[in-house]
Amino acid sequence: MSQTYKNMVQKKHILHSGIFNQTLRDWQSLKSEITPRNLMYPVFIIEQDHEVQEIASMTGIARYGLYKLRQHLMPLVKQGLTSILVFGVIETLAKDDNATNADSPNNPVIRALPYLREWFPELVIACDVCLCPYSSHGHCGILTDKGLDNAESIKRIAEIALAYAKVGAHIVAPSDMMDGRIGAIKRLLNEHDLRNTVSVLSYTCKFASNFYGPFRDAAKSKPSFGDRKCYQLPPGSQGIALRAAQRDVEEGADFLMVKPIMAYIDILKQVKDKYPEYPMFVYQVSGEYSMIFNAAQSGIFNLKDGLMEILGSYRRAGADVIITYYTPLILDWIRLKHKL
Ligand SMILES: [Zn+2]
């Protein structure tokens, strides 16, 4: 070896020796690895048991009736799907001020859960808990002349969570962002001896984002007036997001979530750094799904390569579980990778 080269080796940082083959490159990337355990799949359940409704604003995503959902999930569970996040969507059932049909016997989630538990005994089922898909005004709480009534709202939210827990939800996930709802749910679960068998996944840092558009179409939950800025976090905020995490931790949440994620990855990192003992969930929302899909469609990047690069950044920043509509595709990619 020439003296000049020796000097260069001594003086410079040599990085290529750590990445010269695929196994070495994989070792450098373990923190961004994605396995089926890191994925939760959001699904919409409708009243019509034998129907599938394509969602125009989200290419490739549909709402499913109970039996169609069974067909849809069967191959995914075989491919390693470990958990789903369930949303109910109603069309013929009435919407009222009290969101009566959020937990009535006719609610599609209430009806579906016992079947899903029986058909897929290993699958963890989380249920979104909110008033907005079932309330006549489309807001996430109980309204009075003066605005949202917090005490009445969290009482109702806890009742709905309890109803989902009783029919088989492993996880209840309040998405409303009302103060005090985690504590109210935990108290009610405790009173009904469900404290050790049902966990609470809190939509802790949920921002009043521009990326929810297609979801409101999918879940038919658009507010009939006003917006949700009084209870969802301001997009530019940071301190109040950390206070929300502290609030939910102190009220007893089992798991925390940041939603959306692409524009809030700093919040994820800060919450994870502050509460490393809590598994962190991130929700890649409908607008993010469609944005990435459209970018790939217009040839900006290959869908798989671009998406995995983006999701890897969420894992590196501290996400343990990624809630994504891309779950079926990713499970397929993982399966193919292991087959090669
Ligand atoms: Zn809501």
Side-chain angles (χ1 to χ4, degrees), residues 116-157:
L116 293 174
R117 285 292 302 264
E118 194 190 318
W119 294 333
F120 306 107
E122 304 297 323
L123 186 68
V124 166
I125 303 172
C127 285
D128 181 88
V129 175
C130 203
L131 269 64
C132 59
Y134 308 104
S135 61
S136 44
H137 42 67
H139 281 280
C140 303
I142 303 287
L143 290 182
T144 65
D145 300 345
K146 294 180 192 125
L148 272 166
D149 184 323
N150 183 260
E152 286 303 314
S153 298
I154 62 175
K155 195 174 147 210
R156 182 73 187 112
I157 286 161

Side-chain angles (χ1 to χ4, degrees), residues 74-105:
M74 200 81 86
L76 301 179
V77 169
K78 283 202 182 107
Q79 284 181 25
L81 178 69
T82 56
S83 64
I84 56 174
L85 174 60
V86 173
F87 295 87
V89 183
I90 60 170
E91 269 175 323
T92 62
L93 292 172
K95 297 191 178 191
D96 60 23
D97 289 355
N98 203 36
T100 304
N101 276 316
D103 55 355
S104 71

Side-chain angles (χ1 to χ4, degrees), residues 23-314:
T23 299
L24 268 57
R25 287 191 286 277
D26 287 346
W27 285 343
Q28 305 286 0
S29 315
L30 287 178
K31 281 198 169 161
S32 61
E33 204 172 43
I34 291 171
T35 72
R37 280 193 303 276
N38 302 117
L39 300 169
M40 181 178 262
Y41 181 37
V43 294
F44 301 98
I45 305 188
I46 52 176
E47 296 166 61
Q48 303 83 349
D49 292 343
H50 297 277
E51 259 183 42
V52 178
Q53 299 173 350
E54 302 292 332
I55 300 168
S57 52
M58 295 175 74
T59 314
I61 306 300
R63 307 180 199 97
Y64 294 92
L66 177 59
Y67 297 110
K68 294 291 180 186
L69 183 62
R70 183 189 191 187
Q71 284 172 15
H72 179 61
L73 292 180
M74 200 81 86
L76 301 179
V77 169
K78 283 202 182 107
Q79 284 181 25
L81 178 69
T82 56
S83 64
I84 56 174
L85 174 60
V86 173
F87 295 87
V89 183
I90 60 170
E91 269 175 323
T92 62
L93 292 172
K95 297 191 178 191
D96 60 23
D97 289 355
N98 203 36
T100 304
N101 276 316
D103 55 355
S104 71
N106 296 324
N107 174 281
V109 177
I110 295 278
R111 286 179 49 234
L113 279 202
Y115 290 99
L116 293 174
R117 285 292 302 264
E118 194 190 318
W119 294 333
F120 306 107
E122 304 297 323
L123 186 68
V124 166
I125 303 172
C127 285
D128 181 88
V129 175
C130 203
L131 269 64
C132 59
Y134 308 104
S135 61
S136 44
H137 42 67
H139 281 280
C140 303
I142 303 287
L143 290 182
T144 65
D145 300 345
K146 294 180 192 125
L148 272 166
D149 184 323
N150 183 260
E152 286 303 314
S153 298
I154 62 175
K155 195 174 147 210
R156 182 73 187 112
I157 286 161
E159 275 174 14
I160 299 168
L162 177 66
Y164 294 165
K166 280 183 169 173
V167 290
H170 299 94
I171 300 174
V172 288
S175 55
D176 50 277
M177 288 297 284
M178 301 294 142
D179 290 327
R181 88 276 203 225
I182 303 297
I185 292 171
K186 279 283 181 182
R187 274 192 296 280
L188 206 55
L189 291 175
N190 192 29
E191 280 169 24
H192 289 79
D193 281 338
L194 291 162
R195 73 187 75 77
N196 294 328
T197 49
V198 179
S199 31
V200 177
L201 162 61
S202 174
Y203 284 69
T204 297
C205 302
K206 180 176 178 180
F207 290 84
S209 170
N210 291 295
F211 295 102
Y212 298 144
F215 176 91
R216 287 178 188 158
D217 179 26
K220 299 181 186 290
S221 63
K222 197 170 181 284
S224 57
F225 62 91
D227 52 41
R228 294 171 177 150
K229 287 179 182 160
C230 291
Y231 43 98
Q232 295 180 355
L233 302 174
S237 67
Q238 189 176 49
I240 197 165
L242 293 175
R243 287 175 60 202
Q246 185 181 358
R247 175 196 66 189
D248 292 355
V249 162
E250 287 176 3
E251 287 183 22
D254 296 280
F255 309 112
L256 307 175
M257 189 197 299
V258 175
K259 176 188 176 183
I261 177 58
M262 193 177 249
Y264 301 95
I265 196 161
D266 58 322
I267 303 293
L268 163 66
K269 176 91 176 83
Q270 287 180 55
V271 175
K272 185 65 176 181
D273 285 351
K274 196 170 171 198
Y275 299 105
E277 52 286 295
Y278 284 79
M280 285 300 302
F281 287 61
V282 296
Y283 196 147
Q284 182 183 55
V285 302
S286 55
E288 298 173 292
Y289 169 86
S290 298
M291 193 163 67
I292 292 166
F293 185 86
N294 290 335
Q297 283 289 301
S298 40
I300 294 171
F301 48 66
N302 168 278
L303 180 62
K304 181 183 168 194
D305 297 340
L307 177 64
M308 294 313 270
E309 184 178 345
I310 291 167
L311 298 186
S313 76
Y314 305 157

